Amino acid sequence: MTQDQGPAARLKETERSLRWLAAVIIFNVVLSTSFQTAMFLTNHQKPDIPLAMLFGSLLTALTTLGLNYLLRKRPAAGALRIILLTLGVLTAFAATWNWKQTPASTFALYLLVEIATTVGVAATWTYFQAPLEAAQIRWLLPRLGAWGSIGGLVAGTVIPIGLKYLKMRSHWLIWVSALAWLLASALVRMDYAARAPAKRRSSVNQQSHLRQIFTVPLVRWMILGTAGIIWTGALVQYESNAAMKDAWPQETINSVTSVLLAVASIGGFATQTLVTTPVLERWGVGLALAILPATIGACMSVYFYATIG
């Protein structure tokens, strides 16, 4: 009995020690996205929106390749701390540059936030699961995701209050974001995922394994579905950004964006606690993968019905 309780107790202790890092990371994602959108839209015209989205996606893809290389060469804990410290320093530089906003400074800020939010989350969740087995990942990651959603909810609640009652300005929030990245780097446990990753299998075995994966029908449908979700999301993002630019000033855009992200965090928290964990533990990942595109498709249908109808 004691042997069975030992690993479970250690996993719960791991969850308690990592939950604050998850919360700070998603808090910063909501914070960064809110001022990114507000500052870009008030300093650029509509034709600049798809251009920024394209450059942001390309730079994020290239940075992700570099991230994968770093995570293969270094232990996940050390690599994550380096990444978060770098993001903190770059964000502080962007805050200094955007003290007086210009089209060039806000365009650079937009690209930086696109990279930072993607790489920061990806590196953190890679660090979370690096030393775990599959069963442990199914137990731990949904719970850390729920704590991340709480962090996003806190950000979406605090930002409108600060902008409305404390008379803060959007560019002040960049300094808060820089401090949040630095705080996150301090929360990284260096004794967790401290080993270097194992050497990768040979390229021949990798290619054979990839060919086997793509023979699975579910994987092919997942790829097509993901591509459709990405393109639809990009379209919705463009339409919403264009509408906000025409309707509101900078601080209002910042507040509205943070509130929308807070609502998304509530949905994420409910999904993690009420859907993801029970489905994974009872029916496995296959049903979970089927639920995700069905839910997104339903939400998109409601959106298009509301906007077109």
Side-chain angles (χ1 to χ4, degrees):
M1 189 73 174
T2 305
Q3 291 179 350
D4 293 336
Q5 290 179 344
R10 287 195 296 270
L11 198 58
K12 290 181 180 179
E13 176 61 28
T14 299
E15 186 264 337
R16 285 191 292 269
S17 65
L18 297 178
R19 60 175 61 163
W20 299 112
L21 176 58
V24 170
I25 290 294
I26 303 303
F27 172 93
N28 206 9
V29 169
V30 173
L31 172 67
S32 301
T33 305
S34 67
F35 65 68
Q36 172 204 36
T37 302
M39 294 175 65
F40 180 84
L41 293 180
T42 52
N43 287 276
H44 293 269
Q45 302 301 317
K46 285 184 181 179
D48 297 332
I49 297 175
L51 182 65
M53 293 171 62
L54 174 62
F55 273 100
S57 299
L58 293 176
L59 284 177
T60 299
L62 293 175
T63 307
T64 303
L65 294 176
L67 171 65
N68 291 334
Y69 178 81
L70 178 63
L71 292 174
R72 289 198 305 266
K73 295 297 182 181
R74 298 183 62 89
L80 178 60
R81 177 161 287 182
I82 291 172
I83 290 168
L84 296 178
L85 284 172
T86 303
L87 294 179
V89 172
L90 291 176
T91 304
F93 174 77
T96 304
W97 189 8
N98 281 278
W99 192 255
K100 292 184 178 180
Q101 299 174 35
T102 65
S105 68
T106 52
F107 191 88
L109 177 67
Y110 184 95
L111 298 180
L112 173 62
V113 172
E114 285 290 297
I115 294 171
T117 52
T118 302
V119 170
V121 172
T124 302
W125 259 252
T126 299
Y127 161 78
F128 287 158
Q129 62 183 317
L132 302 179
E133 298 177 356
Q136 296 172 320
I137 291 174
R138 287 195 298 270
W139 186 91
L140 181 62
L141 260 62
R143 288 164 173 81
L144 293 179
W147 280 98
S149 297
I150 292 174
L153 176 60
V154 171
T157 304
V158 170
I159 292 170
I161 294 174
L163 292 172
K164 183 175 181 179
Y165 296 105
L166 302 180
K167 305 302 180 182
M168 297 179 67
R169 294 292 179 262
S170 296
H171 61 272
W172 298 359
L173 299 178
I174 310 176
W175 288 105
V176 180
S177 177
L179 293 175
W181 288 125
L182 297 177
L183 173 61
S185 70
L187 292 173
V188 176
R189 279 180 48 187
M190 298 305 293
D191 60 335
Y192 180 86
R195 295 183 179 180
K199 291 183 178 180
R200 300 178 66 189
R201 67 186 70 185
S202 66
S203 59
V204 176
N205 290 335
Q206 280 188 323
Q207 294 173 1
S208 175
H209 184 60
L210 287 174
R211 283 196 296 268
Q212 292 176 2
I213 289 177
F214 284 104
T215 60
V216 179
L218 178 61
V219 174
R220 295 198 295 267
W221 283 109
M222 284 174 57
I223 294 173
L224 292 174
T226 302
I229 290 169
I230 291 173
W231 280 104
T232 306
L235 175 62
V236 172
Q237 182 182 4
Y238 171 78
E239 292 291 340
S240 60
N241 286 345
M244 287 191 293
K245 175 177 175 56
D246 292 337
W248 297 312
Q250 186 172 109
E251 275 66 36
T252 304
I253 295 174
N254 203 333
S255 296
V256 170
T257 303
S258 64
V259 169
L260 291 175
L261 293 172
V263 172
S265 295
I266 295 174
F269 178 79
T271 302
Q272 296 286 353
T273 54
L274 302 177
V275 178
T276 303
T277 301
V279 167
L280 286 176
E281 291 179 351
R282 181 170 298 183
W283 292 290
V285 69
L287 182 60
L289 290 174
I291 290 174
L292 178 61
T295 304
I296 294 176
C299 293
M300 292 298 180
S301 299
V302 172
Y303 170 81
F304 284 118
Y305 177 80
T307 53
I308 296 175

